[in-house]
Amino acid sequence: MAISIYNDFSDYMMFKNIKKVDVIDFKYKNTVIDIPEELIIKQFGAIYEVHEKCMGFNGYLRNRLNNNTGKTIEEYKKSIKKLNVDIGNIKINGPQNSFEEIIIKYGEKVINRGEECIREVNGSNYLEIITRSMRRSEICLGNTDFQNLSRRDFIYVVDFKNCSYNMVEMDCFPLLSWLKRKGAKLNFCKLAKEFCYIEGLDVNSERFLIALISYPHEFMKCCNRYRAGKRMWHEDKFSQRIVKALVQDGDPLF
């Protein structure tokens, strides 16, 4: 049996009748907090259709498709360890600025929350989720927000560059996490359950998603930027940003 050859995975996606477009108009882009639940569930349907079309891909790509399975969890674990080290160093040397004072004040609580999220991930039969993903050759679009993916008469996608081998849950998590951090007033546990129902996934996947959405993403990201010396902002701006991060991360869902 001949193996189909494609330059990029996007070529295969278009072969499967997914339409490449330059832009998708989305009326809620400046008022994310008002996005209705029904629209998110409709987006889940579009995500599922993408998964159905690309799952089990066995063609040949001249430009290799990355395998990001488990990458996010490992990055989250590393962030926790690095923040632990940061706090230890600040305690030894004393805080050098207002940003580090905030790290001392809130950092250990954030670490405890992050560690609890990882325990919830491990308790969701995480290794079985990875095994299922690899067995089925699951592929994620990577960017499933409303300005990159839309379902009307066809499925429309603006950018395929984030496509990778990954657990299908990872096409839901960034979308719901982003909405939560933007302050959308939604029942995220209900939405995680709805996504899993559409995808035919079990309660372990629900638990996995809720754990990831609960992770203190914004706080960790701000600390990682500061540590890396990426002085994108003045010291006062860093302090303002990390205080904002505490608000954006909100409360855990479990």
Side-chain angles (χ1 to χ4, degrees), residues 217-249:
H217 176 88
E218 289 297 318
F219 192 96
M220 292 294 187
K221 182 172 72 173
C222 197
C223 291
N224 289 341
R225 285 178 173 174
Y226 181 82
R227 184 187 312 112
K230 296 177 181 178
R231 298 296 193 263
M232 310 167 55
W233 307 306
H234 185 270
E235 177 192 317
D236 290 342
K237 183 68 173 179
F238 260 113
S239 300
Q240 293 169 15
R241 184 64 189 83
I242 202 164
V243 170
K244 182 179 179 182
L246 287 165
V247 175
Q248 288 180 304
D249 286 329

Side-chain angles (χ1 to χ4, degrees), residues 40-141:
I40 298 166
I41 293 172
K42 181 180 178 181
Q43 190 77 347
F44 290 164
I47 294 170
Y48 172 70
E49 288 194 47
V50 171
H51 292 163
E52 284 289 284
K53 289 177 181 293
C54 65
M55 189 180 299
F57 170 74
N58 62 357
Y60 177 80
L61 298 175
R62 291 191 174 91
N63 295 314
R64 184 174 64 90
L65 195 64
N66 289 332
N67 189 334
N68 290 332
T69 307
K71 183 178 178 181
T72 296
I73 304 302
E74 292 309 309
E75 288 177 346
Y76 280 2
K77 289 178 181 178
K78 289 178 184 177
S79 292
I80 292 171
K81 290 179 181 178
K82 289 178 180 179
L83 184 54
N84 250 321
V85 172
D86 291 342
I87 291 172
N89 289 335
I90 294 171
K91 284 183 176 179
I92 292 171
N93 301 313
Q96 302 300 304
N97 51 51
S98 58
F99 180 86
E100 293 186 0
E101 289 173 356
I102 294 170
I103 295 297
I104 288 295
K105 184 175 182 179
Y106 297 103
E108 290 182 352
K109 182 178 180 180
V110 170
I111 285 172
N112 290 337
R113 173 172 167 177
E115 289 175 338
E116 180 62 23
C117 290
I118 298 300
R119 284 193 289 271
E120 283 291 306
V121 165
N122 292 333
S124 69
N125 286 327
Y126 176 52
L127 293 180
E128 289 186 14
I129 292 173
I130 289 178
T131 300
R132 181 214 70 215
S133 176
M134 296 175 68
R135 184 182 68 249
R136 300 201 302 174
S137 295
E138 294 176 1
I139 295 174
C140 286
L141 183 60

Side-chain angles (χ1 to χ4, degrees), residues 148-164:
N148 194 60
L149 170 67
S150 178
R151 176 70 168 90
R152 297 190 292 276
D153 48 339
F154 290 96
I155 297 174
Y156 297 94
V157 173
V158 174
D159 194 345
F160 294 95
K161 70 179 181 181
N162 292 312
C163 288
S164 67

